[in-house]
C-alpha cells in the first residue's frame, strides 16, 4: 500500500480531519504519536499499545543507530519486525539528539561530528547517513536531517541554519530516491522539515524552499525549545500557511494536552512528545480535571480512579491510593500503569479533537477543554 | 465459599493432584504462587497475571504492614480490592522478613522487636499482631507467626525455636478464631508452619505438635536457607509424612524449576518463590533448554524466541535479540517481558507436573525434565 493522505473535513479554525495510509496501515489525523525511543514506548508492551489504539509511533534514529545499531536491525528484518510492531512507524533523522543529547564536536556543510552519549565513540552524521539508517530501520515515514539551533537564535544564525537545512533536505531526498531499494519498508516516504527559529519570515522562506523540493509531507521543527506557547503557535501558523493543503503537516516534539488543539487549529495533522511517558515515570499524571502528582499524600487513602472521566484500563481497574502506593514503593507497576494512563489520555484528547472537527466545532471544544485544564492546575 | 481441599489423584511417588477452594476461587494443585511483595507481582499487571492463569499469589505482610500500612488497606477494602486482584491470596506472617530483612532487635516469647528497613522505625510483631494485620489484608490463607532461625542451627537451638513456634501457632489460631469477624475476607483460613531446622526428628515433632492444633493446612518453613537440596527434600519428607493427607501442604520459598518436582513427589501441594521475577529483572531467564543470561552478546543477533517450546506472549511475539537489546538499554519493557516469561515458565512446569500426576507418571516426567534442565546449564 502506497503512502496516501486524504483530508476528509476542514473546520472553520483551519483544522483538518484526515487519514494517512502507510504500508503498515491507516492513521486517523490529527494524530498524536507516542515516542518509542529505543524500540519501545517506555513502560508499555506492544500489546498495550494495540489495546490503546496506537496507530503510529515514533522511533529515534540516534538511539537505535547507537544501540543496537541499524545494521543489526536490518539483519533482524527492520524495526517493525525487531520490536514486533505491525502499526506505522515514523523515525526522526537523529539530528535533534545529535544537537541536544550527544557531545556535538563540529557542524559543517557536510554533516555533524559528535560523540555518543553512551560510550564517547565518535560518529559523523550526514544527510545521506541519516537516510541510510532510516532505510535500515524501515520506518514508514522518514525525516530529513535538519540543523537544530539553540534558542534564542538571531535572524542571521537562523537564516544560516535554514539554508543548510534546505541543502540537507535536498541531499536526503536525492539519496532516498536513488537508494529506495535499500529500505526495509518498500513505500517508505520522506518528510521535509521547516526551520527558521522564531522568525516568521524565515519560517515562510523555509517552507517555500522545501515545497520546491516536493515532499509527500512536511514537518515544523525547532519548536517547543523554550519559547512562549504563543510564539510556537505563530511559527507553526507561519509555516503551515505556506504548505500545500494536500500534504500532512507535523509539528515535532509538542506538547502539553491543552496545547494540542492550538496546533490542530493551525492546520497541523501530526504531533509527538515524550511528555505522557516521561511525566508518568515521575508521577505526573494528566486527567480531565488537570494534572495530578500521584506521590502527593492526599491520594494515600483516595479510593477513586485517577480520572473519573477516563475509560482506560488503569482508571477502570485501580484507585489513586494504589497508584500512589506503587509510586512510593518504587514499583515497576507504577511506571507501567502511569504510562498507560497518560498515553490513553493523550490519545483520548486526539479522538475528541477529531470528533470536534467532524462537527466543525473545534473552537468551542478548545475553549471548554483549555478552561478545564487550566482550572485544574495547582 | 468456604475453604476446601480435595485430593483428586495420588501418584506412585506420593505426589497429589488436588484442588483448593477459597473464597476467591479454585486453585489447581500442586500450585506455584508468584510473589506479590508489596501488593504487586513485580513487573506484571494484574491483567497479565490473569492471562498467565495465576490462581493464587502471595502477599508479604511485613512489606504491606510498613507500607502502605494494613489499616489503610483495610479502609480501602482489603488487599484484593486494593490491588484489584480477584483471585486467591496467601499472606505470610511477616516473620521471615523480620528475621532476615529488618534490623532485628530482640526476640522474646512474646514476639519480635525490630526496626523497619525503610525508615528505622521500631515495631513489635507478636502472633496476635501478625493475625490482626493479615485479617486487615483479608488474604484467603493466612500463616502463623513462626520463629525463623539461622542456618546452620544446632539441635538445641532448633528445638527451642520449634517450641516457640508451636506456642505462637496456638496463639495465632486462638486469636484468629476469637477475632474472625475482623477479617476483610470471611472464610479466611490459617495454616500452621512446621519448623525444626535440618533435624528430621524435630521436623516430625513440630508436625505432631501442629497437627494437635488442627490447622486446615500446613506449611514447611525454614527450608532453602542455604542447605543442599537433598537435605531440603529430606526435611520436607520428614514433615509431610506426619501431616494429615486431607490437608494441603505448602513448602515456603522454593525453588528452582528442576527442584519443583522433588517437592511435589514428597506430597507437597503449594510452593512460592521470588526466583522467576527476581531473576527476570537480572536477565536470568528460564527455558526448557536450561537457563539463559539474556545480556550475553551471543543473543544480540538471535532472531529466535527465548524458548521455542514456550507458548507465552513473550515467546510468541519477541526475539532473543530484542530482549537482549531491551536489557542492555535498561528499558522497563525488559523487566516486564522477562518477568512475564519466567512466571509463565514456572506455571507451565506446574501444569505439566499436574498432568504427569494425572497419568501416574511423575517419576518419569521428573527424570526427563531434570536431565533436560541440567544439560542446558552453562
Amino acid at each position: 500500500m502506497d503512502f496516501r493522505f486524504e483530508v476528509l473535513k476542514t473546520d472553520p479554525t483551519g483544522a483538518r480531519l484526515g487519514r494517512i495510509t502507510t504500508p503498515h496501515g491507516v492513521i486517523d489525523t490529527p494524530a498524536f504519536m507516542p515516542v518509542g525511543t529505543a524500540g519501545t514506548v517506555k513502560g508499555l508492551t506492544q500489546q498495550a499499545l494495540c489495546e490503546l489504539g496506537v496507530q503510529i509511533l515514533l522511533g529515534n534514529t540516534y538511539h537505535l543507530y547507537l544501540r543496537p545499531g541499524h545494521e543489526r536491525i536490518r539483519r533482524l528484518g527492520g524495526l517493525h519486525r525487531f520490536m514486533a510492531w505491525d502499526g506505522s512507524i515514523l523515525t526522526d533523522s537523529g539530528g535533534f539528539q545529535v544537537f541536544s543529547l550527544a557531545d556535538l564536536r563540529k557542524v559543517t556543510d557536510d554533516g555533524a561530528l559528535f560523540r555518543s552519549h553512551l560510550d564517547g565513540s565518535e560518529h559523523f552524521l550526514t544527510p545521506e547517513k541519516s537516510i541510510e539508517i532510516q532505510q535500515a530501520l524501515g520506518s514508514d515515514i522518514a525525516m530529513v536531517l535538519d540543523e537544530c539551533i539553540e534558542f534564542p537564535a538571531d535572524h542571521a544564525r537562523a537564516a544560516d541554519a535554514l539554508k543548510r537545512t534546505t541543502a540537507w533536505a535536498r541531499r536526503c531526498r536525492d539519496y532516498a530516491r536513488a537508494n529506495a531499494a535499500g529500505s526495509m519498508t518498500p513505500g517508505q516516504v520522506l518528510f521535509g522539515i521547516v526551520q527558521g527559529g522564531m522568525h516568521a519570515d524565515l519560517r515562510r522562506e523555509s517552507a517555500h524552499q522545501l515545497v520546491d523540493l516536493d515532499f509527500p509531507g512536511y514537518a515544523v521543527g525547532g519548536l517547543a525549545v523554550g519559547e512562549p506557547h504563543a510564539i510556537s503557535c505563530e511559527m507553526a501558523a507561519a509555516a503551515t500557511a505556506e504548505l500545500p493543503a494536500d500534504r500532512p503537516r507535523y509539528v515535532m516534539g509538542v506538547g502539553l494536552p491543552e496545547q494540542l488543539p492550538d496546533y490542530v487549529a493551525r492546520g497541523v495533522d501530526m504531533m509527538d512528545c515524550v511528555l505522557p511517558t516521561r511525566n508518568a515515570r515521575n508521577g505526573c499524571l494528566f486527567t480531565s480535571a488537570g494534572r495530578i502528582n500521584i506521590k502527593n499524600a492526599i491520594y494515600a487513602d483516595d479510593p477513586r480512579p485517577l480520572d473519573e472521566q477516563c475509560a482506560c484500563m488503569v482508571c477502570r481497574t485501580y484507585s489513586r491510593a494504589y497508584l500512589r502506593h506503587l509510586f512510593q514503593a518504587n514499583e515497576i507497576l507504577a511506571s507501567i500503569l502511569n504510562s498507560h494512563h497518560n498515553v490513553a489520555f493523550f490519545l483520548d484528547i486526539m479522538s475528541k479533537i477529531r470528533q470536534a472537527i467532524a462537527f466543525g466545532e473545534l473552537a468551542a471544544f478548545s475553549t471548554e477543554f483549555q478552561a478545564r485544564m487550566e482550572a485544574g492546575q495547582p
Side-chain angles (χ1 to χ4, degrees), chain A:
Chain A
M1 177 68 76
D2 277 351
F3 183 84
R4 207 167 64 222
F5 177 61
E6 306 151 83
V7 175
L8 305 173
K9 169 115 195 208
T10 302
D11 177 271
T13 59
R16 302 120 58 88
L17 183 71
R19 186 190 290 141
I20 293 172
T21 307
T22 79
H24 286 89
V26 163
I27 303 148
D28 297 308
T29 61
F32 178 84
M33 302 182 283
V35 178
T37 307
T40 160
V41 177
K42 290 186 193 299
L44 298 179
T45 63
Q46 275 68 311
Q47 189 186 2
L49 295 173
C50 280
E51 287 167 18
L52 284 163
V54 172
Q55 296 174 317
I56 180 167
L57 52 81
L58 186 144
N60 283 125
T61 288
Y62 170 85
H63 291 283
L64 294 166
Y65 162 70
L66 291 180
R67 185 172 60 192
H70 63 294
E71 283 303 336
R72 170 163 291 141
I73 292 179
R74 183 194 289 279
R75 285 194 299 276
L76 290 161
L79 183 56
H80 288 89
R81 183 147 166 205
F82 179 61
M83 65 182 289
W85 170 249
D86 206 37
S88 297
I89 298 177
L90 180 148
T91 44
D92 61 10
S93 68
F96 183 76
Q97 280 76 25
V98 165
F99 285 94
S100 62
L101 187 59
D103 175 16
L104 184 63
R105 312 301 288 191
K106 195 177 174 189
V107 184
T108 66
D109 284 343
D110 201 26
L113 185 72
F114 68 97
R115 285 188 189 279
S116 159
H117 75 293
L118 293 176
D119 62 6
S121 57
E122 203 167 80
H123 303 265
F124 192 56
L125 186 66
T126 62
E128 293 77 12
K129 183 78 186 176
S130 172
I131 299 302
E132 180 201 326
I133 300 169
Q134 294 182 75
Q135 289 183 335
L137 300 178
S139 53
D140 298 281
I141 302 173
M143 302 299 298
V144 300
L145 184 65
D146 54 340
E147 183 175 0
C148 306
I149 55 175
E150 63 289 351
F151 169 80
D154 65 25
H155 197 276
R157 166 83 174 113
D160 216 50
L162 182 168
K163 193 178 153 198
R164 188 172 272 158
T165 291
T166 302
W168 286 1
R170 180 189 300 274
R171 283 166 58 188
C172 284
R173 186 199 63 173
D174 294 348
Y175 185 91
R177 279 186 188 165
N179 298 278
S183 176
M184 293 301 290
T185 292
Q188 181 183 41
V189 295
L190 179 66
F191 281 17
I193 306 180
V194 174
Q195 287 288 353
M198 301 308 154
H199 309 279
D201 62 320
L202 295 181
R203 290 285 173 181
R204 283 189 290 272
E205 186 183 334
S206 178
H208 291 156
Q209 293 182 8
L210 290 168
V211 171
D212 285 344
L213 294 175
D214 190 24
F215 288 99
Y218 298 89
V220 184
L223 295 184
V225 291
E227 79 283 6
H229 176 56
I231 304 287
S232 312
C233 290
E234 189 193 327
M235 293 303 118
T240 56
E242 309 302 319
L243 294 171
D246 65 345
R247 310 284 162 94
R249 302 151 179 173
Y250 159 33
V251 173
M252 307 181 82
V254 297
L256 283 168
E258 56 269 30
Q259 297 172 342
L260 301 177
D262 294 333
Y263 291 109
V264 170
R266 281 152 185 89
V268 170
D269 309 297
M270 305 162 75
M271 292 169 281
D272 79 281
C273 199
V274 294
L275 213 60
T277 46
R278 181 176 293 166
N279 280 19
R281 297 194 301 282
N282 296 324
C284 173
L285 303 178
F286 296 99
T287 82
S288 56
R291 263 164 279 177
I292 273 183
N293 192 327
I294 199 64
K295 70 183 142 202
N296 196 315
I298 60 169
Y299 303 119
D301 281 293
D302 193 335
R304 290 175 297 170
L306 188 53
D307 183 350
E308 281 166 325
Q309 307 298 318
C310 177
C312 86
M313 174 272 283
V314 178
C315 292
R316 285 196 318 268
T317 314
Y318 304 100
S319 66
R320 295 177 183 185
Y322 184 62
L323 294 176
R324 194 227 176 216
H325 163 67
L326 293 176
F327 189 85
Q328 292 296 107
N330 199 25
E331 286 287 347
I332 297 171
L333 192 55
S335 292
I336 298 173
L337 299 183
N338 292 350
S339 302
H340 193 102
H341 168 78
N342 272 1
V343 170
F345 186 76
F346 272 65
L347 295 178
D348 187 52
I349 294 170
M350 298 313 297
S351 167
K352 286 173 175 150
I353 285 175
R354 289 193 298 270
Q355 199 185 332
I357 301 172
F359 287 110
E361 294 176 349
L362 182 65
F365 169 82
S366 300
T367 305
E368 189 278 325
F369 175 68
Q370 290 169 339
R372 192 148 44 80
M373 288 289 105
E374 273 160 37
Q377 293 325 310

